[in-house]
């Protein structure tokens, strides 16, 4: 449990992880750890983790890591301490479990060429040490990827290629060593069943084959003098020596890997005065409480470690509680809790503790069996409340006579089998193997056995037993942890089947018990269950009191908290410290939380309303600013554009162009309609200036050309706008030299008869009628009638059509002079203007213009159609008129066919 107070200044921290991998911890905390710190987890898991019945990646060793951070929070180094590697797993595993991951990764992950060099095959079932877990192996691809990850991690950490190769050779040697079997010959000598396995071990360890064989079959004993005696093994003794060697080699390999990682991670050459103060975080990732169907020496040590840590944690919590009470001025009350010091004393008490009795059994001369060791325990602890055995409790049939004893741990009862306790505690390895491996030509393997350099006759002190070494390491670990500020991370597994979405309540309760959480909570709740600093308490609950919401006006936060609690009637369940409020029962917190929960929605609505209003005001101010900027910018653009227009059109009044070649500047989008209007006004003004200089006699011609342009612009390529229009060509001696006087007489007669005022147009034409007859005729257009005249008979009137009846005319888009006049109630008149001077003069535009201008003057519209295939109507019959250019045609003429007329036009 994390204390509410900040850690004391200068006091290191440590984090306890139970069944949580270091990699998960670092990911969750998002530590900026160097690659070495991260990759070390992968390597240590390969050599120290294994698949068990409860976890596919269970740590089979304890680990404490110190991580050094500089003043910026960046990791600058670290150091790893390992505890009690379960090396007996190398020899044998429980049903459903595997050996260490490293063996399977080498078998499944190495390349075929490397396996041949190691004399290995991929099937783990071929080797005694991995046969048990062969059927539980992951797929080849997974093991190969894991192996590749481990090799890459070792390279990142700094392992050389030669060191990685040495590690693989040592693992292969252990596998071959496990397959060596011993047989007795007829002469009573001991030999190896398969000599090739000895060759493989000698080659992989870089040692002489003869020495390997000698160490397996016999041992060297030094007598009191300097004499050396060679003593042969029995088959059982040789098997024991082989297994001890395998365990020791793997343990030394694991320790070498840890030391190699430490040599890379160690922070060197740091001076706090120069580099700033370091902060150390210690992470303890150690085995949890273990209870198996058969519990041996390893489980005894693991559970002793948990008892030791539980004792420390309870003491730390009590110490924290007492220090906090004294710091806040609260009277300390004695707390009732289960003190497991009696269990720790049962294990580590000098002379009478289980470890002391076990060491005495290991050091006593003569044959001391596990059964005698158990009898000694029964003698010393027959009255201990936490110890029992079948000898002391004959009615308990769950234990066997002479084998089992039971310890009542804080987490529950555990029955241990005393078989193998003495051998595992003695952890004996004959000196011959140490000298053999020290003489190896492999520098990596040689460095793992520095104690092998002792001479065979050198007298040394008895080495410490495994139990004593573990106890000493636990004492050092506890002393280290006691000097730090603890933070706890606990992991609860929901079920034993390793499946998702399934919660086994009984299993979870059991874990809560053996993790010691109940004791921790019981100690914290024995006094005041909850405590909060006054500012934090006010920040959460001030809305429940009218005197503290939104901000209090009292003298201090403590006074405000007191007023809040009095309003709720809860002042009897709390105590006031110097800086914190201590709350005794959870009922007080529940009451406050319920009051707060009722008010939170109202406060949220208030905040939402205020925030929405704020956002709306911000948006309104921004819009106003935007519109103001836009308005002033438009003014600027308008003024700039108008100034530019004024500058450009300073010379527009100068004749004769009146600003024709002036370029209008590009206006802003907002002024585009204004400029369009100005452009139209300018065009009108310029036209007015130009028209003022035109003589009145030319105005009729100008209006006709304007009308023709409106009707034919972009529809007919050439309509004669570039020349002067005479209109009355039949009265012209130039155009009609032989009959102009005759036409003038006829014109005078018609004026007297019909009373027209002006001749709009007159010309010779070639016409065709509905009877397909083609004749030369004359066309006269006055302000009242349209006349068809016969030139050969003194321009006799053949047809007169009131001009009001003429509704439109049709022309083509080419240079031909075809005209079709449409009249209401009359047949359409089809003519071609000809016999002009100059020949084939373009007068169609003139006819269209004068007629259109006259109609505009009368206020009626004239329909002008431009088409290369003109439809016409003659006495109800519909026909088409088209033009066919002919270079060889001397004069324009019509060709008649069924239902159509074709004007043959001289194209040359």
């Amino acid at each position: 449990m994390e204390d509410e107070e900040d850690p004391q200044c200068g006091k290191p921290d440590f984090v306890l992880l139970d069944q949580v991998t270091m990699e998960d911890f670092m990911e969750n905390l998002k530590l900026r750890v160097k690659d070495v710190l991260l990759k070390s987890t992968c390597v240590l898991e390969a050599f120290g983790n294994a698949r068990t019945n409860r976890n596919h990646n269970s740590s089979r060793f304890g680990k404490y890591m110190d991580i050094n951070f500089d003043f910026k929070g960046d990791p600058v180094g670290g150091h790893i301490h390992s505890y009690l590697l379960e090396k007996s797993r190398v020899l044998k595993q429980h049903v459903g479990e595997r050996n260490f991951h490293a063996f399977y990764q080498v078998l499944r992950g190495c390349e075929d060429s490397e396996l041949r060099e190691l004399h290995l095959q991929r099937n783990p079932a071929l080797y005694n040490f991995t046969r048990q877990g062969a059927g539980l192996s992951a797929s080849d691809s997974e093991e190969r990827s894991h192996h590749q990850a481990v090799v890459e991690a070792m390279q990142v950490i700094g392992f050389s290629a030669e060191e990685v190769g040495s590690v693989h050779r040592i693992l292969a040697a252990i596998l071959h060593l496990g397959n060596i079997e011993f047989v007795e010959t007829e002469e009573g000598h001991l030999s190896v069943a398969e000599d090739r396995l000895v060759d493989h071990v000698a080659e992989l360890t870089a040692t002489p084959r003869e020495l390997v064989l000698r160490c397996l079959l016999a041992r060297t004993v030094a007598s009191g003098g300097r004499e050396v005696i060679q003593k042969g093994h029995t088959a059982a003794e040789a098997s024991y020596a082989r297994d001890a060697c395998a365990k020791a080699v793997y343990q030394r390999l694991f320790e070498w890997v840890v030391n190699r990682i430490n040599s890379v991670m160690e922070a060197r050459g740091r001076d706090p005065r120069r580099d700033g103060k370091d902060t150390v975080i210690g992470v303890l990732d150690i085995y949890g409480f273990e209870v198996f169907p058969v519990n041996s020496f390893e489980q005894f040590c693991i559970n002793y470690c948990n008892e030791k840590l539980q004792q420390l944690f309870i003491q730390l919590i009590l110490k924290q509680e007492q220090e906090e009470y004294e710091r806040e001025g609260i009277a300390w009350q004695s707390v009732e809790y289960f003190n497991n010091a009696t269990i720790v004393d049962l294990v580590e008490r000098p002379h009478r503790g289980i470890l002391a009795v076990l060491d005495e059994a290991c050091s006593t001369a003569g044959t001391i069996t596990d059964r005698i060791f158990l009898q000694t325990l029964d003698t010393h602890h027959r009255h201990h409340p936490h110890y029992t055995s079948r000898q002391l409790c004959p009615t308990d049939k769950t234990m066997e006579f002479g084998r089992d004893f039971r310890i009542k741990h804080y987490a529950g009862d555990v029955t241990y089998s005393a078989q193998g306790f003495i051998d595992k505690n003695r952890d004996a390895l004959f000196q011959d193997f140490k000298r053999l491996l020290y003489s190896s030509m492999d520098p990596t393997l040689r460095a793992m056995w520095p104690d092998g350099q002792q001479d065979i006759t050198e007298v040394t002190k008895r080495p410490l037993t495994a139990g004593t070494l573990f106890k000493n390491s636990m004492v050092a670990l506890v002393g280290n942890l006691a000097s730090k500020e603890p933070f706890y991370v606990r992991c609860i597994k929901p079920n034993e089947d390793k499946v998702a979405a399934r919660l086994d309540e009984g299993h979870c309760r059991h874990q809560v018990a053996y993790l010691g959480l109940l004791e921790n909570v019981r100690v914290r709740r024995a006094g005041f269950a909850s405590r909060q600093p006054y500012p934090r308490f006010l920040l959460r609950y001030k809305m429940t009191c009218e005197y503290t919401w939104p901000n209090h006006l009292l003298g201090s936060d403590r006074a405000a908290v007191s007023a809040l609690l009095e309003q709720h009637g809860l002042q009897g369940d709390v105590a006031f410290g110097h800086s914190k409020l201590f709350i005794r029962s959870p009922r007080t917190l529940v009451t406050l939380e319920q009051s707060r929960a009722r008010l939170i929605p109202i406060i949220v609505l208030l905040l939402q309303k205020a925030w929405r209003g704020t956002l709306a005001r911000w948006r309104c101010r921004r819009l106003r600013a935007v519109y103001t900027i836009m308005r002033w910018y438009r003014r600027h653009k308008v003024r700039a554009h108008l100034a530019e227009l004024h500058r450009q059109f300073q010379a527009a009044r100068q004749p004769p162009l009146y600003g024709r070649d002036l370029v209008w500047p590009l206006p802003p989008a907002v002024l585009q309609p204004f400029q369009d209007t100005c452009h139209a006004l300018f065009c009108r003004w310029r036209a007015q200036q130009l028209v003022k200089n035109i003589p009145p006699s030319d105005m009729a011609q100008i209006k006709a050309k304007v009308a023709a342009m409106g009707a034919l612009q972009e529809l007919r390529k050439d309509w004669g706008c570039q020349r002067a229009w005479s209109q009355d060509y039949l009265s012209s001696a130039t155009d009609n030299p032989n009959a102009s006087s005759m036409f003038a007489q006829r014109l005078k007669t018609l004026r007297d008869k019909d009373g027209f005022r002006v001749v709009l147009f007159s010309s010779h034409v070639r016409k065709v009628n509905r009877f397909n007859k083609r004749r030369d005729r004359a066309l006269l257009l006055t302000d009242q009638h349209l006349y068809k005249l016969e030139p050969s008979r003194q321009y006799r009137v053949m047809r007169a059509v009131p001009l009001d009846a003429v509704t439109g005319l049709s022309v083509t888009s080419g240079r031909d002079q075809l005209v079709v006049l449409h009249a209401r109630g009359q047949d359409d008149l089809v003519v071609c203007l000809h016999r002009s001077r100059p020949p084939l003069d373009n007068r169609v535009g003139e006819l269209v213009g004068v007629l259109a201008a006259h109609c505009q003057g009368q206020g009626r519209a004239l329909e002008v159609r431009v088409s290369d295939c003109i439809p016409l109507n003659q006495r109800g019959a519909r026909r088409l008129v088209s033009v066919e250019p002919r270079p060889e045609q001397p004069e324009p003429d019509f060709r008649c066919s069924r239902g159509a007329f074709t004007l043959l036009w001289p194209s040359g």
Side-chain angles (χ1 to χ4, degrees):
M1 293 186 183
E2 182 180 351
D3 192 5
E4 305 272 350
E5 279 287 298
D6 295 330
Q8 295 181 6
C9 179
K11 196 171 185 181
D13 305 331
F14 78 89
V15 180
L16 174 67
L17 299 182
D18 183 72
Q19 300 174 353
V20 180
T21 65
M22 179 71 70
E23 188 170 356
D24 291 339
F25 168 73
M26 290 183 174
E27 282 185 358
N28 292 335
L29 293 183
K30 299 184 182 299
L31 296 176
R32 299 187 304 272
V33 185
K34 292 181 180 179
D35 287 342
V36 173
L37 294 175
L38 288 173
K39 297 298 183 180
S40 64
T41 301
C42 177
V43 176
L44 292 179
E45 285 184 354
F47 290 92
N49 288 23
R51 174 170 177 164
T52 66
N53 291 319
R54 295 182 178 177
N55 194 338
H56 287 176
N57 190 33
S58 176
S59 298
R60 307 317 300 162
F61 69 104
K63 175 173 59 178
Y64 175 78
M65 174 185 286
D66 275 326
I67 306 175
N68 298 84
F69 295 87
D70 61 11
F71 69 96
K72 301 187 301 295
D74 295 326
V76 295
H79 190 85
I80 299 174
H81 299 271
S82 62
Y83 301 97
L84 190 65
L85 176 71
E86 189 187 13
K87 58 184 179 180
S88 62
R89 181 171 292 271
V90 175
L91 309 180
K92 185 179 179 181
Q93 306 89 40
H94 293 290
V95 176
E97 298 188 357
R98 293 200 323 173
N99 210 323
F100 293 101
H101 295 323
F103 292 108
Y104 303 94
Q105 291 175 3
V106 168
L107 293 175
R108 297 288 181 86
C110 288
E111 299 294 336
D112 294 337
S113 58
E114 186 176 2
L115 283 180
R116 287 193 294 271
E117 294 177 359
L118 299 176
H119 308 290
L120 294 177
Q121 300 182 39
R122 293 202 181 276
N123 187 6
L126 299 177
Y127 306 97
N128 291 332
F129 290 165
T130 57
R131 181 174 296 129
Q132 168 63 41
L136 304 174
S137 299
S139 63
D140 290 349
S141 60
E142 291 183 6
E143 295 288 6
R144 190 176 298 110
S145 63
H146 293 162
H147 174 71
Q148 185 65 28
V150 172
V151 172
E152 292 177 357
M154 296 177 74
Q155 293 173 352
V156 170
I157 292 172
F159 288 81
S160 64
E162 292 76 11
E163 290 174 332
V164 174
S166 297
V167 170
H168 290 172
R169 288 192 294 272
I170 293 172
L171 293 174
I174 293 174
L175 292 177
H176 291 304
L177 192 63
N179 280 5
I180 294 178
E181 301 290 342
F182 302 98
V183 294
E184 293 185 359
T185 62
E186 296 180 355
E187 294 80 7
H189 299 294
L190 189 67
S191 63
V192 175
E194 296 185 49
D195 291 336
R196 63 180 181 83
L197 295 177
V198 179
D199 297 337
H200 295 340
V201 173
E203 177 186 347
L204 294 172
T205 57
T207 54
R209 181 188 184 281
E210 296 76 12
L211 291 180
V212 174
L213 185 61
R214 185 189 307 167
C215 292
L216 290 173
L217 300 180
R219 58 176 294 194
T220 302
V221 180
S223 63
R226 299 187 61 86
E227 296 182 3
V228 176
I229 302 174
Q230 192 80 18
K231 180 182 179 182
H233 288 318
T234 64
E237 292 174 343
S239 298
Y240 175 83
R242 174 203 63 200
D243 293 345
C245 179
K247 292 190 297 181
V249 169
Y250 192 82
Q251 182 182 18
R252 296 291 179 98
L253 172 63
F254 181 78
E255 292 173 352
W256 177 83
V257 169
V258 174
N259 293 332
R260 186 71 176 82
I261 294 173
N262 285 335
S263 67
V264 177
M265 292 196 306
E266 200 74 43
R268 302 182 181 88
R270 289 191 54 80
D271 185 355
R273 293 171 298 179
R274 181 192 64 204
D275 302 322
K277 174 188 171 184
D278 280 347
T279 299
V280 179
I281 294 181
V283 182
L284 178 62
D285 180 13
I286 205 161
Y287 15 64
F289 199 83
E290 288 190 353
V291 182
F292 294 136
V294 178
N295 301 285
S296 187
F297 179 75
E298 292 81 8
Q299 283 69 46
F300 173 77
C301 292
I302 288 172
N303 294 339
Y304 159 64
C305 168
N306 281 271
E307 289 285 357
K308 195 76 174 175
L309 293 177
Q310 176 69 9
Q311 182 185 32
L312 169 67
F313 300 151
I314 293 296
Q315 291 173 354
L316 289 176
I317 292 174
L318 285 173
K319 182 180 179 182
Q320 288 177 349
E321 290 285 291
Q322 188 170 4
E323 289 178 351
E324 185 173 14
Y325 276 50
E326 292 176 356
R327 190 166 54 248
E328 293 294 328
I330 305 296
W332 172 253
Q333 302 174 357
S334 60
V335 178
E336 295 294 334
Y337 69 97
F338 171 70
N339 190 349
N340 66 336
T342 180
I343 303 176
V344 175
D345 184 67
L346 170 65
V347 176
E348 65 180 16
R349 180 181 177 184
H351 307 300
R352 297 178 61 85
I354 296 177
L355 288 178
V357 173
L358 185 59
D359 287 349
E360 184 180 357
C362 293
S363 61
T364 301
T367 303
I368 302 296
T369 63
D370 296 321
R371 191 182 187 94
I372 296 175
F373 159 68
L374 181 58
Q375 292 173 355
T376 306
L377 289 181
D378 293 341
T379 302
H380 288 322
H381 305 294
R382 66 173 50 252
H383 301 298
H384 199 285
H386 295 277
Y387 175 87
T388 186
S389 67
R390 184 66 184 274
Q391 182 70 27
L392 301 179
C393 186
T395 58
D396 189 351
K397 297 183 179 181
T398 59
M399 296 181 288
E400 290 190 13
F401 278 109
R403 190 194 73 176
D404 296 341
F405 65 95
R406 180 177 298 155
I407 297 178
K408 296 180 180 180
H409 291 281
Y410 76 92
D413 298 350
V414 181
T415 301
Y416 298 99
S417 172
Q419 290 182 355
F421 259 57
I422 293 178
D423 287 339
K424 292 179 180 180
N425 184 57
R426 185 183 291 125
D427 197 20
L429 179 66
F430 297 140
Q431 193 71 20
D432 301 72
F433 287 107
K434 298 179 182 179
R435 289 192 295 271
L436 170 69
L437 297 175
Y438 178 75
S439 65
S440 170
M441 301 302 294
D442 187 341
T444 301
L445 182 60
R446 179 186 178 90
M448 299 178 190
W449 299 90
D451 48 347
Q453 61 182 334
Q454 295 179 350
D455 187 78
I456 189 172
T457 59
E458 184 177 348
V459 179
T460 60
K461 296 173 61 176
R462 185 185 301 275
L464 297 177
T465 61
T468 300
L469 291 173
F470 185 72
K471 183 184 73 172
N472 294 341
S473 65
M474 284 298 101
V475 172
L477 175 63
V478 169
N480 190 12
L481 297 182
S483 65
K484 292 178 168 52
E485 184 75 16
F487 296 84
Y488 307 105
V489 179
R490 297 292 193 179
C491 176
I492 304 296
K493 295 199 309 185
N495 57 74
E496 282 284 357
D497 301 324
K498 309 180 189 72
V499 296
R502 182 187 300 174
L503 181 66
D504 186 346
E505 183 177 349
H507 182 63
C508 293
R509 288 179 178 273
H510 176 66
Q511 292 179 86
V512 169
Y514 78 67
L515 288 174
L517 299 182
L518 293 179
E519 292 298 325
N520 295 353
V521 174
R522 189 176 293 115
V523 169
R524 293 296 295 265
R525 292 188 59 179
F528 293 92
S530 176
R531 63 222 54 188
Q532 295 186 30
Y534 294 126
R536 185 186 303 176
F537 183 86
L538 275 179
L539 185 64
R540 184 165 184 83
Y541 300 113
K542 63 181 180 179
M543 71 285 298
T544 64
C545 177
E546 57 183 343
Y547 302 109
T548 57
W549 178 257
N551 293 302
H552 69 85
L553 300 177
L554 302 177
S556 63
D557 289 344
R558 176 174 177 173
V561 171
S562 178
L564 187 151
L565 293 172
E566 287 179 3
Q567 180 170 332
H568 288 278
L570 301 174
Q571 64 274 17
D573 195 43
V574 299
F576 294 91
H578 297 311
S579 63
K580 288 183 180 181
L581 174 70
F582 288 74
I583 303 174
R584 186 177 303 278
S585 65
R587 188 182 303 106
T588 300
L589 286 177
V590 171
T591 303
L592 292 173
E593 285 292 335
Q594 290 175 348
S595 300
R596 180 178 182 273
R598 288 192 298 267
L599 294 173
I600 284 296
I602 301 174
I603 298 174
V604 168
L605 290 176
L606 178 64
L607 293 176
Q608 288 178 345
K609 180 179 68 174
W611 180 242
R612 289 193 183 109
T614 301
L615 292 179
R617 285 187 289 273
W618 285 355
R619 184 173 183 272
C620 181
R621 284 196 292 268
R622 286 196 297 267
L623 288 177
R624 287 178 179 173
V626 168
Y627 289 147
T628 302
I629 294 172
M630 290 170 59
R631 183 170 61 254
W632 283 98
Y633 183 71
R634 283 198 191 101
R635 290 181 181 179
H636 164 72
K637 295 293 286 185
V638 168
R639 290 173 179 173
H641 183 67
L642 293 179
E644 179 67 17
L645 282 178
H646 184 267
R647 187 185 65 80
Q648 288 276 9
F649 286 88
Q650 285 290 336
R653 294 180 180 275
Q654 300 297 326
L657 298 179
Y658 293 104
R660 183 191 69 183
D661 298 331
L662 294 177
V663 178
W664 288 73
L666 184 65
V670 69
L671 287 183
Q672 187 63 52
F674 169 76
Q675 179 143 320
D676 294 341
T677 304
C678 290
H679 191 271
L681 292 174
F682 174 76
C683 291
R684 287 192 168 196
W685 172 83
R686 184 172 177 274
Q688 183 182 13
Q689 299 303 315
L690 295 174
V691 168
K692 284 194 306 184
N693 298 325
I694 298 175
S697 58
D698 293 339
M699 285 303 299
Q701 183 179 163
I702 293 297
K703 291 181 179 180
K705 286 187 176 183
V706 171
M709 182 177 65
L712 300 177
Q713 183 72 20
E714 297 181 357
L715 298 177
R716 186 177 173 92
K717 298 178 181 178
D718 186 10
W719 45 276
C721 66
Q722 301 296 329
R723 62 175 180 82
W725 288 358
S726 300
Q727 297 182 355
D728 189 5
Y729 292 99
L730 294 181
S731 298
S732 173
T734 303
D735 209 70
N736 189 14
N738 298 326
S740 59
S741 59
M742 187 184 303
F743 177 75
Q745 293 176 4
R746 178 61 65 183
L747 193 62
K748 182 178 181 299
T749 304
L750 289 176
R751 181 180 284 113
D752 294 340
K753 176 183 176 182
D754 294 334
F756 63 83
R757 294 185 302 276
V758 64
V759 175
L760 299 179
F761 184 80
S762 66
S763 175
H764 287 106
V765 299
R766 181 76 170 172
K767 72 95 179 179
V768 63
N769 61 13
R770 68 179 184 276
F771 303 111
N772 299 334
K773 292 182 179 182
R774 303 179 295 278
R775 298 287 186 272
D776 287 335
R777 295 287 185 262
L779 184 67
L780 174 61
L781 183 64
T782 69
D783 58 350
Q784 292 186 2
H785 289 84
L786 171 64
Y787 299 97
K788 183 174 69 170
L789 308 177
E790 187 176 2
S792 61
R793 299 182 66 176
Q794 299 178 355
Y795 293 99
R796 180 176 64 88
V797 176
M798 298 183 66
R799 182 180 177 186
V801 179
L803 198 57
D804 295 340
V806 177
T807 59
L809 55 79
S810 299
V811 297
T812 65
S813 61
R815 288 184 54 84
D816 58 88
Q817 300 299 298
L818 177 64
V819 179
V820 178
L821 295 164
H822 307 285
R824 186 169 52 252
Q826 304 284 336
D827 289 344
D828 294 340
L829 179 61
V830 183
V831 298
C832 175
L833 308 181
H834 77 137
R835 291 172 58 182
S836 58
R837 297 291 183 273
L840 305 179
D841 191 17
N842 194 346
R843 296 175 180 175
V844 170
E846 186 175 353
L847 174 59
V848 173
V850 296
L851 185 57
H854 177 74
C855 292
Q856 289 177 3
Q858 291 183 339
R860 66 185 183 91
L862 177 70
E863 183 181 1
V864 180
R865 289 179 292 183
V866 180
S867 175
D868 291 333
C869 187
I870 302 173
L872 56 93
N873 187 5
Q874 291 181 334
R875 297 297 175 94
R878 297 187 61 82
R879 294 188 176 186
L880 297 176
V881 182
S882 60
V883 179
E884 180 181 338
R886 279 194 176 184
E888 70 278 4
Q889 184 73 22
E891 292 290 336
D893 199 1
F894 287 97
R895 183 182 66 195
C896 301
S897 61
R898 186 176 181 180
F901 300 131
T902 302
L903 174 62
L904 304 178
W905 180 258
S907 61

